[in-house]
Amino acid sequence: QVQLVESGGGLVRPGGSLRLSCAASENIFSLNVMNWYRQAPGRERELVATISRFGITNYVDSVKGRFTLSRDSAKNTVYLQMDTLEPEDTAVYYCNAQRGSAQYWGQGTQVTVSS
């Protein structure tokens, strides 16, 4: 069972930045892929960004050019740098990891973008 712990959420003004962290209890290279999802009130959970074991990244169109994934293997942590935040980015952000057919989820961290 892989434990994932997110941190870094908060309240930020439009145009601001936040960095989310997802710390895994195991070596992140043992995981096929790590993802960030988000869920806004009244909406379905949405896949925002993905990083594979090999470091290949993908982003949903709405965040391309604004969000950036990175990782620190020594800390078993994946980061989501979020710049130029918009009110539409307000949501609970969840870290997700996949290994084979198994999926693991963190508890989520709230991001609120508001003036």
Side-chain angles (χ1 to χ4, degrees):
Q1 183 79 5
V2 179
Q3 308 291 329
L4 301 172
V5 179
E6 301 104 331
S7 61
L11 172 64
V12 64
R13 294 184 184 276
S17 298
L18 284 174
R19 189 179 76 159
L20 305 184
S21 301
C22 173
S25 59
E26 299 184 19
N27 187 332
I28 58 175
F29 292 107
S30 73
L31 304 166
N32 296 103
V33 64
M34 294 188 73
N35 305 300
W36 283 98
Y37 284 79
R38 67 185 178 187
Q39 188 166 21
R43 302 189 67 174
E44 293 187 357
R45 193 169 292 191
E46 172 189 38
L47 177 60
V48 175
T50 295
I51 184 165
S52 75
R53 173 192 302 175
F54 305 108
I56 298 171
T57 58
N58 282 290
Y59 304 90
V60 69
D61 285 348
S62 60
V63 309
K64 283 181 180 177
R66 300 189 298 120
F67 290 13
T68 306
L69 282 164
S70 62
R71 60 188 178 183
D72 184 334
S73 58
K75 296 181 179 179
N76 289 324
T77 298
V78 170
Y79 302 99
L80 183 66
Q81 177 67 40
M82 306 188 296
D83 298 318
T84 320
L85 282 160
E86 304 168 353
E88 293 73 23
D89 296 316
T90 295
V92 178
Y93 284 70
Y94 297 91
C95 182
N96 164 272
Q98 298 175 19
R99 182 165 59 199
S101 61
Q103 289 210 47
Y104 307 96
W105 291 91
Q107 80 286 354
T109 185
Q110 176 71 46
V111 171
T112 302
V113 185
S114 175
S115 55

